Amino acid sequence: MSKPNLVLLHGVGLDHTMWEPATALLADRFTVIAPDLPGHGSRPPASEGVTLTDLADGVAGDIPAGSHLVGFSLGALVAQHLALHRPELVATLTSVSSVCRRTPEERASVLDRLRTAEADFTASAAASLERWYSGTGVSPAWVARTESMLRANDVRSFLSCYRVFATADAELGPDLGAITVRALAVTGEDDPGSTPGMTYRLAAALGDCRAVVIPRTRHMLPVERPEAFVDTLTTFIGEPAHA
């Protein structure tokens, strides 16, 4: 009997390898597909002016019809776009550490981070690592791997994709209610950017979505707390929790 397809979409500036702590726990229950988003990893750099539609169209060919679709951060916005415009691809939708309908203050904050990246990419990468991992128990080796992922980016491509991350929730916001697939929104209690408030906002906006907040966890939920992430995901999908 074939295993169901589970597709994992990573965040901005990262690549498919960010999912390794989770895929080790998922591979016995699912056929796991973790493509690089356009402009990331093994893919060519993204062009200036790239849009959320471009990112979604660029990864849609990697997603078999009827997949359980999971997106992290920017990947969550891509997954939501696909659930809206390519619903035949999506059996369930899981948004991990996702922003949603940013307030003016939240938008100003992310645009300030974009300006920092434009002025000093190295400083921006260091600030991201601090924001994601400060005070966590994530190993120094994984922090170093994440730093390598960030530093490997083509800077112009990264800035173009980060601009999508900073603005596309406003594009998606008015249409979220048209997504009818069963959905999960999950984030870390201590995530300063993709906050619990945003997760509850997303769950309220979607037609059939429940929110889960993982205690004492920051932004890189699938890396910091892979067991809790996998337990939440598999319980939602309907598979037995993977202890």
XYZ file of all heavy atoms in Angstrom, residues 12 48 50 102 106-125 127-128 131 155-168:
321
model
N 12.005 31.563 3.743
C 12.837 32.450 2.937
C 14.291 32.368 3.387
O 14.604 32.330 4.579
C 12.321 33.902 3.000
C 12.455 34.515 4.387
C 13.017 34.772 1.964
N 14.359 39.988 -9.919
C 13.788 41.134 -9.217
C 12.311 41.263 -9.600
O 11.951 41.087 -10.761
C 14.546 42.405 -9.585
C 14.151 43.614 -8.769
C 15.052 44.809 -9.034
O 16.088 44.631 -9.712
O 14.716 45.904 -8.563
N 9.969 39.247 -8.394
C 9.292 37.955 -8.274
C 8.070 38.123 -7.365
O 8.070 38.918 -6.423
C 10.265 36.887 -7.731
C 10.647 37.151 -6.288
C 9.695 35.487 -7.888
N -0.889 41.042 8.618
C -0.101 41.867 9.534
C -0.802 43.187 9.841
O -1.377 43.817 8.961
C 1.271 42.168 8.942
C 2.256 41.004 8.886
C 3.562 41.489 8.316
N 4.613 40.486 8.259
C 4.924 39.782 7.172
N 4.234 39.954 6.043
N 5.916 38.915 7.197
N 3.075 45.528 12.704
C 3.782 44.313 12.287
C 4.389 44.476 10.899
O 5.505 44.013 10.635
C 2.816 43.125 12.315
C 2.420 42.703 13.728
C 1.205 41.812 13.780
O 0.479 41.686 12.754
O 0.950 41.229 14.857
N 3.673 45.153 10.002
C 4.213 45.382 8.660
C 5.420 46.314 8.724
O 6.419 46.095 8.034
C 3.135 45.964 7.737
C 3.603 46.071 6.290
C 2.463 46.195 5.306
N 1.423 45.215 5.539
C 1.508 43.932 5.218
N 2.607 43.469 4.650
N 0.512 43.112 5.466
N 5.347 47.353 9.544
C 6.479 48.272 9.678
C 7.712 47.526 10.187
O 8.840 47.791 9.746
C 6.114 49.414 10.616
N 7.512 46.594 11.102
C 8.626 45.832 11.660
C 9.304 44.975 10.600
O 10.540 44.943 10.496
C 8.127 44.958 12.813
O 9.175 44.186 13.350
N 8.517 44.258 9.778
C 9.130 43.390 8.769
C 9.770 44.212 7.658
O 10.815 43.840 7.116
C 8.113 42.364 8.227
C 7.097 43.021 7.288
C 8.836 41.235 7.504
N 9.192 45.350 7.320
C 9.810 46.203 6.305
C 11.108 46.805 6.829
O 12.058 47.023 6.053
C 8.834 47.293 5.861
C 7.632 46.800 5.054
C 6.661 47.944 4.775
C 8.081 46.141 3.737
N 11.188 47.039 8.123
C 12.441 47.495 8.718
C 13.502 46.409 8.607
O 14.673 46.697 8.302
C 12.210 47.876 10.177
C 13.454 48.459 10.814
O 13.932 49.506 10.329
O 13.962 47.885 11.792
N 13.113 45.147 8.809
C 14.066 44.049 8.645
C 14.513 43.931 7.188
O 15.677 43.613 6.915
C 13.453 42.734 9.133
C 13.166 42.719 10.630
C 13.036 41.313 11.182
N 11.940 40.549 10.634
C 10.694 40.569 11.105
N 10.380 41.363 12.119
N 9.765 39.816 10.569
N 13.607 44.188 6.248
C 13.974 44.182 4.834
C 15.005 45.271 4.541
O 15.994 45.043 3.843
C 12.732 44.364 3.963
C 12.971 44.519 2.458
C 13.686 43.305 1.879
C 11.642 44.738 1.735
N 14.798 46.452 5.083
C 15.756 47.548 4.875
C 17.123 47.207 5.468
O 18.162 47.526 4.878
C 15.208 48.841 5.465
C 14.117 49.491 4.615
C 13.767 50.884 5.111
N 13.084 50.836 6.400
C 11.770 50.733 6.532
N 10.986 50.670 5.450
N 11.219 50.701 7.737
N 17.122 46.542 6.612
C 18.392 46.108 7.204
C 19.113 45.139 6.282
O 20.329 45.242 6.074
C 18.137 45.433 8.568
O 17.571 46.390 9.460
C 19.421 44.881 9.159
N 18.369 44.205 5.700
C 18.973 43.237 4.779
C 19.508 43.922 3.531
O 20.562 43.527 2.999
C 17.950 42.164 4.411
N 18.797 44.916 3.051
C 19.264 45.655 1.875
C 20.559 46.402 2.168
O 21.451 46.490 1.311
C 18.182 46.642 1.422
C 16.955 45.977 0.808
C 15.808 46.943 0.594
O 15.766 47.996 1.265
O 14.930 46.636 -0.244
N 20.689 46.922 3.391
C 21.859 47.715 3.757
C 23.050 46.850 4.154
O 24.206 47.197 3.870
C 21.510 48.666 4.899
N 22.792 45.723 4.821
C 23.877 44.891 5.356
C 23.355 43.464 5.498
O 22.810 43.096 6.539
C 24.347 45.448 6.698
C 25.603 44.769 7.217
O 25.886 43.632 6.796
O 26.291 45.378 8.062
N 23.543 42.672 4.461
C 23.002 41.316 4.445
C 23.602 40.460 5.561
O 22.898 39.675 6.204
C 23.248 40.656 3.091
C 22.799 39.223 3.017
C 21.462 38.910 2.944
C 23.730 38.183 3.046
C 21.038 37.588 2.884
C 23.325 36.865 2.994
C 21.970 36.570 2.911
N 24.887 40.621 5.826
C 25.544 39.832 6.871
C 24.939 40.128 8.237
O 24.660 39.216 9.028
C 27.052 40.105 6.881
O 27.601 39.752 5.603
C 27.749 39.300 7.962
N 24.715 41.406 8.520
C 24.096 41.777 9.793
C 22.669 41.253 9.880
O 22.210 40.830 10.952
C 24.113 43.296 9.957
N 21.966 41.256 8.766
C 20.605 40.741 8.730
C 20.565 39.251 9.041
O 19.715 38.780 9.806
C 19.986 41.004 7.352
O 18.759 40.333 7.208
N 21.496 38.500 8.466
C 21.561 37.067 8.725
C 21.842 36.798 10.197
O 21.228 35.920 10.819
C 22.620 36.412 7.851
N 21.138 38.753 12.724
C 19.945 39.111 13.487
C 18.886 38.024 13.377
O 18.175 37.738 14.356
C 19.397 40.444 13.000
N 18.752 37.402 12.213
C 17.794 36.309 12.048
C 18.145 35.138 12.954
O 17.272 34.563 13.629
C 17.764 35.849 10.588
O 17.234 36.844 9.749
N 17.193 35.980 16.438
C 15.743 35.998 16.620
C 15.178 34.572 16.643
O 14.232 34.282 17.372
C 15.124 36.814 15.479
C 13.704 37.247 15.695
C 13.282 38.310 14.685
N 13.406 37.878 13.301
C 14.322 38.330 12.442
N 15.200 39.238 12.827
N 14.368 37.892 11.203
N 22.304 37.450 -2.898
C 21.697 38.502 -2.084
C 20.510 39.146 -2.795
O 19.453 39.370 -2.193
C 22.740 39.556 -1.676
C 22.080 40.721 -0.944
C 23.805 38.919 -0.784
N 20.644 39.452 -4.072
C 19.530 40.081 -4.790
C 18.320 39.154 -4.833
O 17.180 39.598 -4.684
C 19.964 40.464 -6.200
C 20.930 41.643 -6.252
C 21.199 42.066 -7.678
N 22.099 43.212 -7.743
C 22.489 43.796 -8.863
N 22.055 43.329 -10.036
N 23.306 44.830 -8.830
N 18.568 37.874 -5.051
C 17.479 36.897 -5.062
C 16.811 36.839 -3.691
O 15.573 36.840 -3.583
C 18.023 35.529 -5.450
O 17.032 34.530 -5.361
N 17.616 36.800 -2.632
C 17.070 36.769 -1.275
C 16.194 37.982 -1.018
O 15.080 37.860 -0.481
C 18.199 36.712 -0.252
C 17.729 36.884 1.161
C 17.250 35.809 1.887
C 17.753 38.136 1.776
C 16.796 35.975 3.193
C 17.304 38.308 3.073
C 16.817 37.224 3.783
N 16.680 39.168 -1.382
C 15.916 40.388 -1.139
C 14.593 40.370 -1.892
O 13.555 40.800 -1.370
C 16.734 41.613 -1.520
C 17.981 41.876 -0.662
C 18.801 43.011 -1.254
C 17.602 42.181 0.785
N 14.604 39.859 -3.114
C 13.366 39.774 -3.895
C 12.365 38.840 -3.228
O 11.170 39.143 -3.137
C 13.674 39.299 -5.314
O 14.462 40.248 -6.008
N 12.851 37.695 -2.740
C 11.962 36.738 -2.077
C 11.522 37.248 -0.712
O 10.372 37.026 -0.297
C 12.651 35.387 -1.953
S 12.926 34.554 -3.538
N 12.415 37.947 -0.011
C 12.041 38.495 1.288
C 10.958 39.560 1.132
O 10.072 39.682 1.984
C 13.258 39.088 2.008
C 13.029 39.248 3.489
C 13.383 38.247 4.381
C 12.421 40.389 4.008
C 13.152 38.380 5.748
C 12.184 40.529 5.361
C 12.541 39.517 6.223
O 12.289 39.653 7.569
N 11.023 40.300 0.040
C 9.985 41.301 -0.214
C 8.625 40.617 -0.374
O 7.600 41.146 0.089
C 10.341 42.131 -1.446
C 9.481 43.379 -1.630
C 10.066 44.301 -2.680
N 11.299 44.938 -2.228
C 12.523 44.612 -2.660
N 12.684 43.650 -3.556
N 13.581 45.239 -2.206
N 8.595 39.444 -1.012
C 7.347 38.670 -1.105
C 6.878 38.285 0.301
O 5.699 38.452 0.648
C 7.542 37.417 -1.976
C 6.284 36.544 -1.953
C 7.889 37.807 -3.405
N 7.798 37.781 1.113
C 7.440 37.400 2.480
C 6.878 38.584 3.269
O 5.937 38.444 4.049
C 8.671 36.834 3.190
C 8.488 36.637 4.665
C 7.627 35.666 5.146
C 9.168 37.431 5.577
C 7.440 35.495 6.517
C 8.993 37.262 6.940
C 8.128 36.293 7.408
N 7.453 39.768 3.029
C 7.061 40.952 3.796
C 5.722 41.534 3.370
O 5.110 42.283 4.142
C 8.150 42.021 3.671
N 5.251 41.190 2.190
C 4.066 41.868 1.651
C 2.920 40.944 1.240
O 1.778 41.405 1.140
C 4.458 42.713 0.421
O 5.012 41.847 -0.593
C 5.501 43.773 0.784
N 3.205 39.658 0.981
C 2.198 38.812 0.334
C 1.035 38.444 1.242
O -0.026 38.041 0.751
C 2.842 37.544 -0.233
